[in-house]
């Protein structure tokens, strides 16, 4: 009996299962059957063994749940009354009421504790869901704030910088058509016109909330364009070389944009 009890406590784990789902494991059922048989053997050996009924009933309900557990408790109660009392010639009312009251107390105790455990688990689950909902709400509020700020900046950029870029580009177009025979001036105006067009495109991407470095473009290609732009802006006075080592790797658009801006800032300072 002691060996089966110890093995059952070490091997069977039902704490994470709901009470209604217990009693479906055949090893657990077999262990309870063997334990009940051992208890019957204890009762046949000594009448004092009937006092083991209460802890045995607790274990039966804990392992088998409310359905099979009640059946096992009933069998244990009958065994305790019949074998522990009648076969020993001790048929007093106490030997009958003891196991019966113990069974009732066991059922009430286990059901009450399981109900309390279920309430606590539901409360913890509700708290976790509430915490998750608060995090989602906070993130949505931050996103809404970012969207409102982006919309405000988009309006400002559209009404100021974008309009200025568009006006400058128109003036440069007229200037290109007005210059004849001066190759240097023509190249300078063309570079200024390209820079203005690029600035206007960047302003439009900013208004749309798009990253400057697109995810479908490698960082090396974006840096190559920045290097070419730096050479043009310097009028050929600054030589910039781009060397890549290893194989290209995809980067998130935000990371690529930050690295590209670092390079653009450094190149602009050098030029």
């Amino acid at each position: 009996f002691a060996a089966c009890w110890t093995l059952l406590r070490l091997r069977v784990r039902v704490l994470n299962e709901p009470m209604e789902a217990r009693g479906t494991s055949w090893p657990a059922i077999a262990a309870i059957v063997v334990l009940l048989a051992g208890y019957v053997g204890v009762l046949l050996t000594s009448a004092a063994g009937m006092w083991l009924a209460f802890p045995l009933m607790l274990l039966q309900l804990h392992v088998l749940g409310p359905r099979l557990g009640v059946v096992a408790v009933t069998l244990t109660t009958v065994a305790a009354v019949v074998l522990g009392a009648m076969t020993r010639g001790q048929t007093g009312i106490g030997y009958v009421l003891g196991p019966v009251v113990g069974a009732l107390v066991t059922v009430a105790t286990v059901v009450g504790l399981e109900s309390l455990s279920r309430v606590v688990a539901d409360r913890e689950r509700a708290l976790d869901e509430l915490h998750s909902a608060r995090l989602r709400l906070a993130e949505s509020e931050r996103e809404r704030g970012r969207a409102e700020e982006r919309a405000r900046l988009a309006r400002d950029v559209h009404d100021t910088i974008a309009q200025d870029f568009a006006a400058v580009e128109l003036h440069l177009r007229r200037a290109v058509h007005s210059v004849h025979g001066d190759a240097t001036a023509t190249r300078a105006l063309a570079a200024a016109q390209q820079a203005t067009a690029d600035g206007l495109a960047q302003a439009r991407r900013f208004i749309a909330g798009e990253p400057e470095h697109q995810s479908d473009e490698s960082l090396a290609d974006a840096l190559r364009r920045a290097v070419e732009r730096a050479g043009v802006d310097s009028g050929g006075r600054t030589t910039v070389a781009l060397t890549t080592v290893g194989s290209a790797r995809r980067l998130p658009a935000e990371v690529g944009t930050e690295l590209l801006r670092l390079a653009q800032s450094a190149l602009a300072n050098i030029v």
Side-chain angles (χ1 to χ4, degrees):
F1 179 83
C4 185
W5 178 286
T6 303
L7 184 63
L8 184 64
R9 295 299 295 164
L10 290 177
R11 294 294 183 181
V12 178
R13 292 287 183 267
V14 295
L15 290 179
N16 294 328
E17 298 179 3
M19 194 171 184
E20 293 78 5
R22 298 178 189 177
T24 58
S25 173
W26 286 108
I29 296 175
I32 290 295
V33 171
V34 174
L35 194 61
L36 182 58
Y39 176 65
V40 171
V42 172
L43 287 175
L44 292 175
T45 303
S46 171
M50 66 180 301
W51 305 113
L52 291 175
F54 187 69
L56 179 58
M57 294 173 185
L58 287 173
L59 184 61
Q60 289 169 340
L61 282 172
H62 176 68
V63 173
L64 299 181
R67 297 182 180 86
L68 291 179
V70 171
V71 175
V73 167
T74 302
L75 293 176
T76 304
T77 304
V78 172
V81 172
V82 175
L83 299 178
M86 296 181 63
T87 60
R88 298 295 176 180
Q90 300 170 336
T91 56
I93 190 67
Y95 290 94
V96 177
L97 287 180
V100 173
V101 171
L104 295 176
V105 172
T106 300
V107 172
T109 301
V110 173
V111 171
L113 289 176
E114 291 288 347
S115 300
L116 180 61
S117 176
R118 190 180 301 109
V119 169
V120 172
D122 292 341
R123 179 182 177 85
E124 290 180 351
R125 191 179 305 108
L127 289 176
D128 291 339
E129 292 176 356
L130 178 61
H131 181 65
S132 300
R134 287 178 175 175
L135 291 179
R136 290 193 298 270
L137 179 61
E139 180 61 27
S140 63
E141 287 294 327
R142 286 193 294 269
E143 184 62 30
R144 185 174 65 87
R146 287 193 292 265
E148 291 178 352
E149 181 66 15
R150 187 182 298 114
R152 185 187 66 81
L153 290 175
R155 290 192 299 269
D156 293 342
V157 170
H158 180 271
D159 295 337
T160 56
I161 298 177
Q163 300 297 333
D164 293 340
F165 273 132
V168 170
E169 186 178 12
L170 289 176
H171 291 308
L172 289 173
R173 287 181 183 178
R174 296 193 190 99
V176 169
H177 292 297
S178 301
V179 175
H180 299 286
D182 192 341
T184 302
T186 300
R187 286 195 300 270
L189 289 173
Q193 188 177 4
Q194 182 61 43
T196 305
D198 292 342
L200 182 59
Q202 290 179 5
R204 287 170 177 168
R205 282 198 298 268
F206 178 76
I207 292 174
E210 298 175 355
E212 184 177 350
H213 172 60
Q214 302 298 323
S215 58
D216 58 350
E217 181 187 34
S218 67
L219 181 60
D221 293 336
L223 289 174
R224 188 170 292 107
R225 287 192 292 105
V227 165
E228 294 172 355
R229 170 73 179 276
V232 173
D233 290 344
S234 67
R237 294 187 303 273
T238 304
T239 301
V240 185
L242 175 65
T243 304
T244 59
V245 179
S247 57
R249 246 186 354 183
R250 291 291 181 186
L251 293 176
E254 294 79 6
V255 177
T257 298
E258 292 299 327
L259 294 175
L260 179 60
R261 287 175 179 171
L262 285 172
Q264 288 173 334
S265 177
L267 289 171
N269 291 336
I270 292 171
V271 171

